[in-house]
Amino acid sequence: MTSPRRTFLKRATGALLAGSLAGCLDDGSGTETDPTGGSGDRTDAATDSPTATATSTDAPTATATDTETPTDTPTATTGGSLGNADYAAWLPAPDALDRDHYTFASLATGALVDLKANLGDGAVSEFERDARVPGVGEFADASAVHVVGDSALVFETDVATDDAAAGFEERGLAEAGARHDFTLYTGETGAAAVREDALVSAVGTRDADAARSTVEAVVDAEAGEADRYADVSSACDLLTDALGRGHLLRGRTHAPGRTFDGVVGDGLVFSVGSEETRVATPVVFREGQASEGPVVEWASDADVFYGRKPGTSVDGRVVTATATVPSAEIERFHSQLPGEANRAVDRAPAATFGYDYEETGDDVGTLEITHEGGDSIPRSELVLRGTGFTEVDGADQTSAGQWQGTASGDDESVVAGDRVEVGVASDYEVNVVWESADGNTASTLMEDEGPDA
């Protein structure tokens, strides 16, 4: 049998997010549990429907508090409107993704790279690499990249449509007609939609029907032919209004009380200026339940404010913590959302691993695992677990155990760009696992299975 080289959505998003908004596709803990995603609580959908008193058109009526409120707010753009300013148009209603809620993110990657000299070392390094999506160049070439749940990536960029068509065909996708002004590609490995100025990718799933449904939902939302997230959820409507526009932003809605009592949505936005960056974390409460105290307490030591004391304001159902940070001090964009704890010493590292399987013989091949970005990890704390390891010529590792690939960081730490070639049978099931030095904590950072698993 032959098995084409496979590239997955997780790999592309990992390269994009690991150094900036790690956790956009999960809760950042390295576990498979997403407290805001999945099917959620279906009964909350009715509770969170739009109401006449909760619209995004109300004029701001922020109430000043006695906490320190920054007065020197940087401009959120380097000239003109940010390329990701209209990100909410790409977000379909959750039920179109078979969800009650999901986490979304949007990044003005091109504008961020333009600001590289004003930021700390390495802040935008993840955006200066190939997106590994057919027809798309580097992340930096895009005016915007949007993340839709754990389901799809949207690139707003000049797309080489012929290259995209050829690339998706190599991955087993075939042209499946037009939808609005996009050309659809579908197959057993996922789905995509392509036009000259945008590309939607849901490649890497083994549920072909779900992938196509997701891509169609995103395209329909952008075309205005289907409900968008903010149309059906007052929490999302208020949240996207509070987030406004920014170079990097992340948001989610969820069942009431998943973070603070009465909270149904929260988010994070970085508006980067040449000298200072504004960081804001809006929190959306249920009607009549807005409470500033829990937000103030959380924000007082949240990593996302880089040691600055944020001010808070209240606007109806929304409580927002805000701080101004010198742009030059930002070497990594934190992804911590309101209510999430600071990363503990023994918490799993925020790192993303890509993986490619290539058949080299009858029912055997090599699995290349690459650290795509994020935290460095001591070699001694990184292990491979699972089944299907086997002898393959040239492989670095042919059995479970400690990482046997490159470790080019300080003190033999595995860092972005390090990789290992693993000999596997075609029915392998392999996990990359972080284990704390004391052995008391472990977390799966990546998992993959072979084409015959």
Side-chain angles (χ1 to χ4, degrees):
M1 60 174 286
T2 60
S3 177
R5 197 168 182 84
R6 299 178 297 147
T7 302
F8 291 84
L9 171 65
K10 285 184 178 179
R11 178 167 189 164
T13 42
L16 169 64
L17 300 174
S20 55
L21 287 180
C24 283
L25 301 186
D26 56 47
D27 66 357
S29 66
T31 68
E32 293 299 311
T33 302
D34 181 356
T36 65
S39 59
D41 182 358
R42 184 66 65 178
T43 60
D44 185 52
T47 303
D48 191 30
S49 60
T51 66
T53 58
T55 69
S56 60
T57 58
D58 295 336
T61 57
T63 302
T65 70
D66 59 1
T67 55
E68 294 181 10
T69 303
T71 57
D72 188 8
T73 302
T75 303
T77 176
T78 56
S81 178
L82 281 174
N84 66 335
D86 297 325
Y87 71 92
W90 294 94
L91 306 178
D95 61 4
L97 307 181
D98 197 27
R99 303 287 185 88
D100 286 335
H101 315 277
Y102 62 83
T103 300
F104 58 86
S106 181
L107 305 94
T109 49
L112 279 166
V113 172
D114 288 342
L115 287 162
K116 176 180 179 179
N118 304 102
L119 293 161
D121 292 342
V124 299
S125 59
E126 294 300 332
F127 310 134
E128 298 178 297
R129 63 172 67 212
D130 196 299
R132 295 191 177 91
V133 174
V136 175
E138 294 183 352
F139 288 113
D141 296 331
S143 60
V145 180
H146 315 301
V147 184
V148 183
D150 59 358
S151 305
L153 281 177
V154 179
F155 293 84
E156 293 194 60
T157 188
D158 292 331
V159 179
T161 54
D162 290 344
D163 292 345
F168 285 126
E169 288 174 1
E170 287 179 2
R171 288 158 173 77
L173 276 62
E175 186 173 334
R179 194 171 187 91
H180 307 303
D181 49 356
F182 283 86
T183 300
L184 287 177
Y185 296 87
T186 62
E188 293 183 358
T189 59
V194 179
R195 72 183 186 197
E196 291 184 350
D197 64 345
L199 184 149
V200 183
S201 176
V203 177
T205 177
R206 289 181 173 83
D207 189 335
D209 292 338
R212 177 167 183 161
S213 178
T214 294
V215 169
E216 291 178 345
V218 173
V219 167
D220 290 348
E222 192 271 340
E225 297 296 327
D227 285 338
R228 295 167 177 168
Y229 204 161
D231 294 332
V232 300
S233 166
S234 66
C236 187
D237 186 29
L238 289 167
L239 178 60
T240 53
D241 185 51
L243 287 169
R245 62 179 187 173
H247 291 83
L248 303 96
L249 60 87
R250 182 185 179 202
R252 63 185 179 186
T253 68
H254 48 75
R258 285 291 181 93
T259 53
F260 312 119
D261 287 345
V263 170
V264 291
D266 37 60
L268 162 68
V269 59
F270 288 85
S271 300
V272 182
S274 58
E275 300 295 332
E276 294 181 319
T277 291
R278 178 180 179 270
V279 184
T281 56
V283 178
V284 182
F285 288 79
R286 299 180 79 176
E287 189 67 45
Q289 297 187 28
S291 177
E292 195 172 5
V295 179
V296 171
E297 182 178 359
W298 167 81
S300 65
D301 66 349
D303 287 343
V304 74
F305 296 113
Y306 299 86
R308 269 60 184 184
K309 182 180 179 181
T312 55
S313 62
V314 181
D315 182 6
R317 291 170 56 187
V318 182
V319 178
T320 303
T322 309
T324 302
V325 180
S327 297
E329 293 185 11
I330 299 176
E331 296 182 349
R332 177 180 176 187
F333 290 100
H334 294 310
S335 63
Q336 183 184 17
L337 288 174
E340 293 179 347
N342 290 327
R343 184 179 170 206
V345 174
D346 61 350
R347 187 177 176 186
T352 302
F353 289 82
Y355 44 97
D356 283 323
Y357 171 73
E358 186 172 26
E359 186 175 278
T360 59
D362 291 338
D363 298 328
V364 299
T366 57
L367 175 65
E368 181 185 79
I369 302 174
T370 305
H371 187 305
E372 295 285 7
D375 293 338
S376 62
I377 306 170
R379 181 200 292 272
S380 60
E381 298 179 10
L382 197 62
V383 297
L384 304 187
R385 303 292 186 207
T387 61
F389 297 93
T390 191
E391 294 288 338
V392 174
D393 288 344
D396 302 314
Q397 188 158 347
T398 57
S399 61
Q402 188 181 93
W403 175 276
Q404 296 300 309
T406 58
S408 57
D410 294 340
D411 298 323
E412 285 203 19
S413 288
V414 178
V415 299
D418 284 330
R419 64 191 61 202
V420 62
E421 293 275 356
V422 186
V424 291
S426 60
D427 61 351
Y428 69 87
E429 294 182 4
V430 172
N431 298 336
V432 176
V433 180
W434 167 77
E435 296 180 350
S436 62
D438 60 12
N440 293 329
T441 308
S443 182
T444 299
L445 304 178
M446 187 217 85
E447 57 185 358
D448 184 39
E449 61 182 28
D452 296 329

